[in-house]
Structures are given as structure tokens and as C-alpha cells.
Amino acid sequence: MTKHTDSREIEEEQWRPATRMVRGGTRRSAHGETSEAMYLTSGYVYEDAAEAEARFKGEAPGFVYSRFGNPTVAMFERRLALIEGAEACKATSTGMAAVFAALMAQLRAGDHVVAARALFGSCLYIVSELLPRYGIEVTLVDGVELDQWRAAFRPDTRCAFLESPSNPGLEIIDLEAVSALAHGVGARLVVDNVFATPLLQPAMRLGADIVVYSATKHIDGQGRCLGGAILSSQAFVDEELLPFLRHTGPSLSPFNAWVLLKGLETLDLRVERMCANALAVATLLEGLGGVERVLYPGLASHPQHALAERQMSAGGTIVSFDIAGGKAAAFDFLDRLGMIEISNNLGDAKSLITHPATTTHQRLRPEQRAALGIGDGLVRLSVGLEDVEDIKSDLGQAMAGG
Ligand SMILES: *Cc1c(COP(=O)(O)O)cnc(C)c1O
């Protein structure tokens, strides 16, 4: 493995966060391009046969095949690692590829995993359906109940997995407390930090050993492409993750890596504005007739508001709320919206709304949905970058029309 010791990389580590987002990881070609170059190549050529041998042995620097590494993808990985404050980052084709690889690279038959129940649908499928097929035992807990975590950890627990804030219930899990419990039995904590983004919640500083992202969400943030990332120690990448990725191939396309690199340049501006818009929207919704309950970590009414204030720097970009009258009323409300679109993506510049019980969480049994607080009247709003007054007036007119 190449070690990050050139002078350029030491300089990058001195930069403040906003500078890292714009410039971190940039490696110019001999042409001196301003924007990062897009290296759309599957392979690489060598000066001579000895050079090929040396690169394959890892004794000479350079790329050998884009399933293993690519200059544009490497720039994205380096920039995101700098933003997160992680030693290492590996990019993947999607967020789900990141979650799957982060878990499968370290687990084997006979291992035990503890996971919070309130997970993104596909994450829940991996832990509750796929892992047990390979002889991995999984205990699901209610993530906000520390006693349940404490009771679930065992000497053979290899890792803990959680998402905070969760989707779509926006539950906040105490990362420091869960990481202390995990580390107490020698297990690793894996955090899906998508809803918080690298900016609002420093998951690694709070004790996560491995952080995963769907870059499809806020990192792209403009609805263009899929991507994912895994951040961790260099040792985890070198010894466990890299062999898994090299041989299974969930690689990020250099084109998508380039789009995501450009997304990182404006991530803080977008997330900051979206959080301000989300707080204003949540405050408005709390006072609207027809809204039974508003879930937003930045509101004093949120059940884990104090914890959210401690571990997050803002309440996030997503607001969930219950509409009185169940599914029919929620559908009517969605259909009356004029500007805000019905879509299950999130973290986008455009405000998007979804009805989790019939879309993202449709496959769950009714009692599973009930346990997660996903009622038939619940809607999840991803607040975008439009003028907040336009977002508020659209919500207001749709609610008043009921
Ligand atoms: C979207 C999402 C994923 C999956 O990401 P993809 O890029 O769609 O594969 C995983 N976890 C959370 C919390 C998500 O929101």
C-alpha cells in the first residue's frame, strides 16, 4: 500500500474543513487542469514488463486496474477521508454496496452482530435476512434503549451496526455509549451516517470504527448518480476491506467519482442551507392543523433532542410528520402538493416527499412498521434548497386543502 506521506498530503491535513471540501485530494495531471481530471479508463499501461511486475507486487506506485483503483476515484476517496478525519476511504458503486462490503469483509460464520432495528430497508434486509444465511447470528435491538444494547453484546460479538438519525423515524442513538459497549467486548461499531452527513455528526470522533455513506444522497445532492463510501483505519482497509473489494468488484465508476468530487465542493453550503430550511419547515408544521406529530431532531419536542444537540451540530435535512387521517389523508396531502415532488430519494437540492409505509418500508410487516413508528399517516420530507417561503407555502396550501 502507498502511504500518505508526500508533502502535498501533509499540507492538506492542515487545512480547515471548507478548504478540504474544495481542494482536498486534488492531483493534477501534467496538463495542469483546474477541475479534477476524469480518468475514464479500465486499465493502465507499463513502461516495461518489470514495471508491471513491480506494480502488481505493490513495490512501485501506480494503478493496475480500475476495479482496484483509479485516479479520479482516488481523489474522491482522499477528499472524503479528509472531510471525515479518517485514515482511509474506499469508494463503492452504491451506498448498499458500502454497507454490504463493510459488514461482509469482516464477518464469518459463527460471528454475532448487534444491530439497531430502525434501519434503511435494504440495510435491515442484509442484517436480518442475508447475514443469518451465512451462519452469522444477529440480535436486533431498539437503538434508543441502551439497556437493550448492553444486554445484547456477548464475547463473540464482532460488530454493532446502526443508523442515526434513523430513516424515517429520525431516532437518535448515543454513538459514544454504544461504541463504549461494543469496544468493551472487542467488537467494532459500524455507523451508517447518511442522514447526518460527514458535516453534522463526527461519527468517528464519537467512537465509530467504520463509517459508511450513500454518496447518492447529500454528497451528490443533485440527483445525478449513485455512489457509496466506507471510511475506517488504514489497517482495516489494507487487511480486511481491500481483499474483499478487489475480488468482488463493487467499484465506483470514475465518471460518478468525478460527479461526487464536484458535489463535495459545495456539500457544506448545501447542507447548511437545507438544515436551516428544514428547521423552519419543522417549526411551521408543528403549528399546522392536520399535523399530528412532527419528528425533527432540531426541535425541542423531539424525544432525543438533548442527545441530538450533543452529538450533532444541526438537526439535519429531513423532517418526518404524521398526518391526521392515516393513509388516505397522507395520499391526498401528497397529491395536493404543487412544487414538492413525490420521490423516495433524499438529500437532493429539490424538496422531495415520500410515504414510507407504501414505498421505502412497504416490505415490512405491519407490526414491524408499528415497532418503528411508521404509521399510515407518516410522511418523510427531504428539505431542499428552494426558497424556504416557497416550501412553506406549498406545505401550507396542501394541508389547508384537506
Ligand atoms: C439511501 C440509503 C442507503 C443506500 O444507498 P444507495 O446509494 O441507494 O445504495 C443506505 N443507508 C441509508 C440510511 C440510506 O438513506
Side-chain angles (χ1 to χ4, degrees):
M1 264 316 283
T2 50
K3 287 280 175 262
H4 298 304
T5 46
D6 75 38
S7 59
R8 170 72 201 232
E9 289 181 337
I10 291 165
E11 184 194 9
E12 286 176 338
E13 287 175 5
Q14 312 303 318
W15 285 337
R16 292 167 182 80
T19 311
R20 293 178 177 198
M21 275 174 248
V22 176
R23 295 182 171 273
T26 302
R27 295 290 177 272
R28 294 204 163 91
S29 79
H31 301 298
E33 63 282 349
T34 310
S35 171
E36 295 74 7
M38 197 194 300
Y39 292 94
L40 282 176
T41 182
S42 46
Y44 306 85
V45 298
Y46 313 97
E47 282 301 315
D48 49 39
E51 168 76 8
E53 181 186 28
R55 281 207 217 166
F56 267 85
K57 280 187 172 166
E59 289 167 357
F63 295 93
V64 293
Y65 190 52
S66 284
R67 172 150 47 80
F68 311 156
N70 170 281
T72 312
V73 176
M75 285 192 267
F76 169 67
E77 292 169 339
R78 174 72 180 150
R79 186 170 294 175
L80 190 55
L82 282 164
I83 295 169
E84 186 75 34
E87 277 178 22
C89 172
K90 288 307 292 176
T92 54
S93 54
T94 66
M96 285 324 304
V99 170
F100 188 64
L103 294 172
M104 285 308 260
Q106 58 177 316
L107 294 170
R108 58 211 68 225
D111 286 343
H112 176 242
V113 172
V114 184
R117 196 175 284 116
L119 292 175
F120 182 73
S122 297
C123 297
L124 188 63
Y125 181 81
I126 289 177
V127 297
S128 61
E129 306 284 333
L130 282 182
L131 296 185
R133 262 196 229 168
Y134 297 92
I136 297 155
E137 196 188 332
V138 179
T139 304
L140 292 178
V141 299
D142 180 346
V144 299
E145 299 293 340
L146 282 178
D147 284 345
Q148 293 195 16
W149 287 103
R150 200 172 287 119
F153 281 110
R154 315 191 308 218
D156 60 341
T157 307
R158 277 274 293 189
C159 81
F161 179 60
L162 63 85
E163 187 182 310
S164 180
S166 66
N167 173 32
L170 303 177
E171 285 182 357
I172 308 293
I173 300 177
D174 188 334
L175 299 189
E176 280 180 322
V178 175
S179 101
L181 291 171
H183 295 163
V185 296
R188 290 177 176 135
L189 174 60
V190 182
V191 173
D192 180 337
N193 208 32
V194 168
F195 272 45
T197 81
L199 304 178
L200 304 181
Q201 177 167 272
M204 271 191 178
R205 249 179 291 145
L206 293 165
D209 301 284
I210 297 159
V211 177
V212 293
Y213 288 105
S214 164
T216 317
K217 311 294 168 56
H218 307 78
I219 293 176
D220 173 23
Q222 288 151 88
R224 300 167 295 196
C225 68
L226 301 171
I230 304 163
L231 295 117
S232 67
S233 67
Q234 190 70 52
F236 177 71
V237 168
D238 292 349
E239 290 156 26
E240 295 173 75
L241 187 60
L242 215 48
F244 183 87
L245 293 176
R246 286 174 74 112
H247 301 300
T248 59
S251 320
L252 180 66
S253 131
F255 179 84
N256 289 5
W258 182 84
V259 172
L260 298 172
L261 254 173
K262 306 316 273 180
L264 286 177
E265 292 181 1
T266 57
L267 181 65
D268 61 337
L269 296 177
R270 289 182 287 108
V271 168
E272 195 183 316
R273 174 67 69 85
M274 287 155 85
C275 287
N277 285 356
L279 178 60
V281 163
T283 306
L284 167 88
L285 289 167
E286 258 195 330
L288 273 190
V291 176
E292 280 182 340
R293 181 180 62 146
V294 180
L295 292 167
Y296 183 66
L299 288 179
S301 59
H302 187 281
Q304 295 96 37
H305 177 63
L307 173 59
E309 289 222 297
R310 215 166 62 231
Q311 77 182 18
M312 295 173 71
S313 57
T317 68
I318 315 286
V319 183
S320 294
F321 51 104
D322 277 310
I323 293 178
K327 177 180 167 184
F331 272 33
D332 284 347
F333 171 72
L334 260 54
D335 293 347
R336 276 195 303 271
L337 288 165
M339 178 187 77
I340 299 167
E341 282 136 341
I342 302 169
S343 174
N344 46 284
N345 198 10
L346 60 93
D348 199 89
K350 297 181 174 70
S351 291
L352 303 172
I353 198 161
T354 192
H355 182 249
T358 53
T359 59
T360 54
H361 292 70
Q362 187 201 136
R363 282 170 211 279
L364 298 188
R365 293 187 301 276
E367 62 274 18
Q368 288 178 302
R369 280 200 293 273
L372 297 177
I374 305 172
D376 289 342
L378 185 78
V379 296
R380 185 197 75 193
L381 173 64
S382 171
V383 182
L385 291 176
E386 302 93 343
D387 190 305
V388 71
E389 295 307 323
D390 289 328
I391 304 171
K392 283 160 65 179
S393 69
D394 197 19
L395 292 167
Q397 68 77 20
M399 198 59 80

